Amino acid sequence: MSTISSWQNFQQHYLDLPELGMSIDTSLMVPPDELPQALDKLFRNAFQQMRELEEGSLANPDENRMVGHYWLRNPELAPSAEIKKVICDTLGKILQFAKQIQQKIIQPQQADSFRNVLLLGIGGSALGPQFVQNALASEADQMQFYFLDNTDPDGIDQVMASIGKELNMTLTLVISKSGGTKETRNAMLEVRHVYESSGLDFSKHTVAVTGEGSQLDQLAKNENWLRRFPMRDWVGGRTSVLSAVGLLPAALQGLDIEEILNGAKIMDGLTRRKDVSKNPAAMLAWMWHHAGAGQGEKAMVMLPYKDRLLLFSRYLQQLVMESLGKEKDFAGKTVHQGLTVYGNKGSTDQHAFVQQLREGPADFFVTFIEVLRDRKNASIEVEPGITSGDFLQGFLLGTREALFQNGRSSLTITLEEINPKSLGALIALFERAVGLYATLIGINAYHQPGVEAGKRAAEDVIELSLKIQSHLKSNPAQQFSASSLAEILEESAKISTVFKLLEHLAANGRLQKFSGSDPFSACYQENC
Ligand code: PA5
């Protein structure tokens, strides 16, 4: 791999998708000319599995559920009339609700219109909406967006402070499929508190997007929130961006959500092609397999040369890593599969981590994203005959060549422009690539046992914190060190956790701390 590949090689590995104004160039991945026979067999199986999934098989056996995100953009494919109706009705309700908000038919309690959207959610209930909002933002946006995707009190304060006096014009969307995720629940309680402290009725400013019958759904129903939009068990969190999760905020922003769905639907058609060399998602899955020997040996670095696509790598990080990062394969064998994704944007990162890409360990391949249309209007020349956009493209082409010369492979996805259709297509492309690749390597892409384990582990820590606080409250005159407290509470195996909990409580003025000769002999006591 010492010179840029030949014109002939380039043409051979260039997949043109004129329907979407898109192309994929895999020539710099140095793939074999032909799909190896063993992989061809795996692909036949993957296509068959994908067909069954689209027909409504229980493709997520661990959770005993169907996987139906492809029906969202083509309800005709839904396996039952009931599912088709839910999809169509929900889309209709989203469009109607957004119109009523924009036309001021639905108004806030103390202002004539809603001008802001505050979205509360995490993981699949936030990353997709954030990505779409940012990628398609323009001066035509109908509403200003804010996001809370954590349980960080300081982060919450920052966002609430930026909304400031406009809280009375702010529509809050609480998005959680399970309706029980603590980060989102906490953000909701915090935001509710701010509304109430400002004399505003939270329920008159709030909408829920959640699974029917969930805790959140019950709450929204009991308190008569502005609206409730359903999430169904056949849409997974990280593939929910084209359900109400992403479509509702996009419609409120004023985006053409039908065009986003249309782009995804066209891409779905192309990614059903049985010929791997003509199927863009299969091409990506093949390249991932080829780069990392089907073991995820190389990370995928995402480098979109477009500021609008900044959040794409964060969105993809979840879609890819939560789907593919699995300990066990379908047969129950320990495999520790995954595909590491990181990135940001070019050319910005050329002044950051690209140095290591060029000269450090060759443990990655790059996915470049090139956008041909520089901006809406004409550009000035920054040098004779040259625009800023020419430089942006120059940096991209130069970087991929420089990497290639140093034995680092890359593929390039080119879009004519970023618009609702191409964005929908991009989302659908990676959703399908993840699904196909998962079948090639024999894992379930649609469950997330690791995320659930994290949630349970946090609950144990919270329980321990309550135990500590209760003991200190019952013994207000006494001081305890971390080790003595751990022993009394019969939690000696967790002394370091007890220590960290005490430090946190003390730092927030919820306990008194008496320093000792070293950090571990400090004592703690209930506040007087
Ligand atoms: O993809 C997933 O399933 C997860 O990342 C979820 O989206 C995330 O945990 C948030 O869950 P919920 O929407 O239930 O609040």
Side-chain angles (χ1 to χ4, degrees):
M1 234 201 267
S2 62
T3 53
I4 197 91
S5 61
S6 72
W7 175 230
Q8 194 190 7
N9 185 44
F10 174 77
Q11 291 177 74
Q12 190 184 339
H13 297 288
Y14 186 88
L15 178 58
D16 192 26
L17 306 168
E19 308 81 337
L20 289 163
M22 195 184 275
S23 65
I24 304 182
D25 164 19
T26 51
S27 61
L28 301 189
M29 292 295 286
V30 204
D33 286 341
E34 298 275 316
L35 183 67
Q37 236 180 18
L39 258 186
D40 184 58
K41 206 166 151 219
L42 290 175
F43 266 112
R44 294 302 116 211
N45 175 45
F47 290 142
Q48 174 62 21
Q49 302 281 324
M50 188 57 82
R51 199 166 68 83
E52 289 170 15
L53 176 150
E54 288 200 295
E55 284 169 0
S57 69
L58 292 176
N60 181 357
D62 289 30
E63 295 173 1
N64 202 29
R65 63 176 181 85
M66 299 185 285
V67 174
H69 48 277
Y70 300 110
W71 311 328
L72 297 168
R73 44 267 196 165
N74 189 355
E76 294 302 322
L77 288 180
S80 73
E82 192 254 330
I83 291 179
K84 181 178 161 190
K85 184 169 168 0
V86 171
I87 297 170
C88 297
D89 287 356
T90 306
L91 181 61
K93 284 181 187 153
I94 289 171
L95 289 166
Q96 192 197 31
F97 179 71
K99 203 161 142 196
Q100 288 174 331
I101 292 282
Q102 282 144 13
Q103 294 180 347
K104 306 182 190 179
I105 296 167
I106 300 177
Q107 291 177 311
Q109 201 185 354
Q110 291 179 14
D112 78 325
S113 62
F114 282 108
R115 289 202 204 144
N116 305 317
V117 173
L118 171 60
L119 190 155
L120 316 184
I122 195 166
S125 294
L127 287 160
Q130 277 174 299
F131 164 54
V132 171
Q133 188 275 328
N134 192 253
L136 296 176
S138 77
E139 67 285 349
D141 283 359
Q142 303 279 325
M143 301 180 87
Q144 167 78 36
F145 274 73
Y146 299 87
F147 295 90
L148 280 178
D149 62 356
N150 203 352
T151 180
D152 173 11
D154 177 51
I156 294 171
D157 289 348
Q158 271 190 318
V159 170
M160 297 317 285
S162 18
I163 296 175
K165 291 209 166 52
E166 292 201 356
L167 190 63
N168 62 344
M169 303 171 193
T170 302
L171 178 70
T172 291
L173 311 181
V174 187
I175 307 186
S176 172
K177 178 178 169 185
S178 61
T181 302
K182 297 296 187 214
E183 290 92 334
T184 307
R185 193 275 318 256
N186 296 356
M188 181 198 66
L189 293 174
E190 296 259 6
V191 169
R192 170 200 287 268
H193 175 72
V194 184
Y195 271 100
E196 287 171 355
S197 311
S198 312
L200 295 166
D201 182 345
F202 184 61
S203 66
K204 294 200 164 34
H205 296 80
T206 309
V207 168
V209 181
T210 187
E212 275 179 344
S214 74
Q215 269 175 29
L216 173 60
D217 192 43
Q218 308 271 357
L219 181 76
K221 190 172 169 193
N222 294 341
E223 294 185 350
N224 200 18
W225 290 10
L226 282 176
R227 283 286 185 286
R228 292 180 293 133
F229 291 93
M231 286 184 75
R232 297 300 167 123
D233 74 338
W234 40 264
V235 177
R238 54 194 170 277
T239 50
S240 65
V241 58
L242 300 185
S243 73
V245 170
L247 295 181
L248 175 62
L252 289 164
Q253 186 177 349
L255 303 179
D256 186 347
I257 60 174
E258 283 163 310
E259 201 46 13
I260 299 177
L261 290 168
N262 182 37
K265 182 179 173 184
I266 296 172
M267 180 57 85
D268 285 345
L270 300 176
T271 55
R272 281 188 201 107
R273 289 173 173 169
K274 294 286 182 305
D275 178 349
V276 171
S277 68
K278 302 254 170 350
N279 176 328
M283 276 307 283
L284 291 189
W286 177 18
M287 292 304 110
W288 298 352
H289 199 280
H290 167 65
Q295 306 287 330
E297 283 169 10
K298 297 215 169 167
M300 173 163 71
V301 181
M302 291 303 303
L303 276 179
Y305 275 60
K306 203 77 200 156
D307 290 357
R308 288 181 177 279
L309 295 181
L310 172 72
L311 298 182
F312 194 42
S313 49
R314 278 186 69 200
Y315 161 76
L316 276 187
Q317 210 166 41
Q318 189 213 14
L319 175 66
V320 175
M321 294 177 74
E322 207 166 278
S323 302
L324 302 179
K326 300 289 155 70
E327 181 178 352
K328 306 278 183 194
D329 69 6
F330 263 124
K333 201 172 126 214
T334 301
V335 287
H336 294 294
Q337 272 289 358
L339 175 61
T340 304
V341 179
Y342 66 92
N344 185 36
K345 69 180 165 87
S347 72
T348 315
D349 289 338
Q350 287 182 219
H351 301 264
F353 63 75
V354 172
Q355 162 66 30
Q356 176 172 321
L357 299 191
R358 178 129 161 79
E359 297 185 3
D363 56 358
F364 67 90
F365 65 97
V366 179
T367 297
F368 287 102
I369 301 189
E370 178 189 31
V371 180
L372 295 178
R373 181 85 36 87
D374 287 336
R375 55 157 52 113
K376 252 207 252 122
N377 301 317
S379 287
I380 59 158
E381 292 183 359
V382 292
E383 287 178 15
I386 294 296
T387 65
S388 304
D390 295 336
F391 267 104
L392 189 66
Q393 189 190 32
F395 285 128
L396 186 160
L397 297 178
T399 301
R400 69 181 212 145
E401 179 157 357
L403 289 174
F404 187 72
Q405 281 171 2
N406 232 15
R408 276 79 171 139
S409 44
S410 68
L411 61 94
T412 302
I413 299 173
T414 300
L415 307 176
E416 258 164 35
E417 63 177 19
I418 311 271
N419 55 33
K421 184 174 164 190
S422 62
L423 202 75
L426 208 52
I427 288 167
L429 170 64
F430 279 87
E431 282 180 349
R432 183 86 65 165
V434 166
L436 290 174
Y437 182 76
T439 315
L440 296 184
I441 60 173
I443 55 120
N444 179 355
Y446 307 108
H447 67 166
Q448 51 284 325
V451 179
E452 310 306 333
K455 288 181 184 174
R456 280 194 300 277
E459 275 163 26
D460 293 346
V461 176
I462 297 294
E463 239 173 68
L464 183 54
S465 173
L466 288 174
K467 238 167 126 178
I468 291 171
Q469 293 182 63
S470 149
H471 190 78
L472 292 179
K473 214 168 247 137
S474 321
N475 300 277
Q478 251 178 291
Q479 294 181 8
F480 299 90
S481 68
S483 53
S484 65
L485 199 53
E487 204 180 320
I488 294 167
L489 298 177
E490 297 181 350
E491 296 283 5
S492 295
K494 294 185 183 163
I495 302 186
S496 57
T497 311
V498 171
F499 169 74
K500 294 198 75 62
L501 289 168
L502 286 166
E503 285 286 297
H504 177 246
L505 289 166
N508 287 285
R510 293 159 67 194
L511 297 178
Q512 271 186 283
K513 176 180 171 181
F514 303 91
S515 298
S517 54
D518 61 62
F520 314 114
S521 52
C523 284
Y524 307 85
Q525 186 180 6
E526 177 68 7
N527 276 329
C528 307

